[in-house]
Amino acid sequence: MYAVAWMSGTLFSFCLMAIGARELSGELSVFQILLCRSVIGLLCICISIVISISTQKINLRTDRLGLNIFRNIFHFAGQYGWFLGIGALPLAEVFALEFTVPIWTLIIAAIFLKEKITLTKIVSVLLGMAGVLIIVQPGYAIVDPISFIVLGAAVCYAISHTATKSLSASESAISILFYMCLIQLPIGLLLSIGNWSWPVGLQWLWLIIIGMTALSAHFCMAKAMQYAEVTKVITLDFLRLPLIALVGISLYAETFEISLVLGGALMFIANLVVLRRRRVS
């Protein structure tokens, strides 16, 4: 029950963040949105540190600054591609392609972290790639180039996740989040300063929503994993796809594509194959 409650917060956060990104698309540059996201995230983290510092010792020191920088360059690139896709593609397609992140992570971890390549992992990768082909439909439909940007964003997220896995062996979660905002803030500032436009009216509200939901989504998922197995959490997380499809249909008159459900289902099965194998072993 607790896991379902926390995952409901995750689903709500991701969907609300996507709505905010769609509402700001074409009004503010993606780089500016990412800058504001980092500023809001950094403020929230600093406030939480100040509030909790009297009850627990918080260590923000890092001996792996280079890996933190490497991780956040790719994480920033992944966010850029995701936000770009939200503004140009059906919301459900962006979310479906995002489900390839665990597949790319398997491949990258095998190459750089020397994780063992098993038959289960190979089957998972093949199922995931089949899901991508069903969604993108090369040779059948006119392929939107933005789809490949979103896939590239998924690869960047996978590289970031692999780096996070390495960092988590020596760094605390709050430290990783702190350096994420701290490092990405100047990157966003540098890239947005040439095309700066001061937000007005509701734009400020959407920026705040994006900054808050970006943190709450990951916080709620982490809490859900404390109360349930990873396989259950991933199963609940897959509900993001039909949920965001309903949002796209009701708010933005997007059409329902059965290929998104079929492709997303294959990627969902691919992720479960590996997770269940890990649990057994």
Side-chain angles (χ1 to χ4, degrees):
M1 182 61 70
Y2 287 115
V4 172
W6 282 113
M7 279 307 298
S8 296
T10 300
L11 299 176
F12 178 78
S13 296
F14 274 125
C15 290
L16 193 54
M17 181 166 56
I19 293 172
R22 174 63 67 85
E23 291 298 318
L24 292 176
S25 177
E27 297 186 8
L28 298 175
S29 74
V30 174
F31 292 129
Q32 189 174 345
I33 295 173
L34 294 180
L35 167 63
C36 293
R37 179 188 185 279
S38 295
V39 170
I40 294 169
L42 190 61
L43 286 174
C44 291
I45 291 171
C46 288
I47 290 171
S48 66
I49 289 173
V50 171
I51 292 174
S52 60
I53 201 167
S54 60
T55 58
Q56 58 179 308
K57 183 179 178 181
I58 298 175
N59 183 15
L60 296 178
R61 182 177 177 273
T62 180
D63 294 321
R64 309 176 75 183
L65 183 60
L67 186 56
N68 270 295
I69 293 173
F70 174 84
R71 172 193 180 272
N72 284 292
I73 288 174
F74 280 97
H75 189 260
F76 186 93
Q79 290 179 100
Y80 177 81
W82 189 83
F83 275 90
L84 200 66
I86 288 292
L89 297 174
L91 297 178
E93 181 172 345
V94 177
F95 274 54
L97 292 175
E98 187 185 356
F99 277 108
T100 62
V101 171
I103 310 302
W104 300 119
T105 303
L106 280 179
I107 297 171
I108 293 168
I111 295 173
F112 294 102
L113 298 184
K114 308 301 181 183
E115 291 192 357
K116 186 179 179 182
I117 299 176
T118 64
L119 179 60
T120 301
K121 291 181 179 180
I122 293 174
V123 171
S124 177
V125 169
L126 292 176
L127 285 172
M129 293 303 103
V132 171
L133 291 175
I134 290 175
I135 292 170
V136 178
Q137 302 179 57
Y140 174 74
I142 298 175
V143 179
D144 194 321
I146 302 294
S147 298
F148 293 105
I149 292 178
V150 176
L151 277 175
V155 174
C156 288
Y157 277 136
I159 294 173
S160 172
H161 289 349
T162 305
T164 302
K165 184 175 182 179
S166 178
L167 283 169
S168 62
S170 59
E171 315 277 318
S172 66
I174 191 68
S175 174
I176 293 172
L177 285 174
F178 175 78
Y179 284 105
M180 177 187 76
C181 296
L182 188 64
I183 292 169
Q184 292 188 27
L185 193 155
I187 298 175
L189 177 61
L190 181 64
L191 294 174
S192 64
I193 201 166
N195 190 29
W196 183 267
S197 175
W198 281 106
V200 295
L202 284 175
Q203 291 176 350
W204 283 110
L205 176 61
W206 287 120
L207 286 171
I208 292 171
I209 287 174
I210 288 172
M212 297 293 291
T213 53
L215 290 177
S216 64
H218 295 288
F219 177 79
C220 289
M221 182 172 287
K223 293 293 290 185
M225 288 186 177
Q226 293 179 2
Y227 293 102
E229 296 177 345
V230 178
T231 48
K232 183 176 181 179
V233 172
I234 293 297
T235 302
L236 293 172
D237 187 43
F238 183 72
L239 293 176
R240 267 198 288 157
L241 185 54
L243 185 59
I244 200 63
L246 290 175
V247 170
I249 292 169
S250 58
L251 295 185
Y252 303 107
E254 295 177 355
T255 57
F256 178 80
E257 297 287 346
I258 191 65
S259 60
L260 291 175
V261 177
L262 294 176
L266 275 179
M267 287 185 284
F268 168 65
I269 294 170
N271 294 336
L272 280 186
V273 165
V274 171
L275 289 172
R276 289 189 182 279
R277 177 63 180 174
R278 286 178 179 173
R279 187 179 63 176
V280 171
S281 58

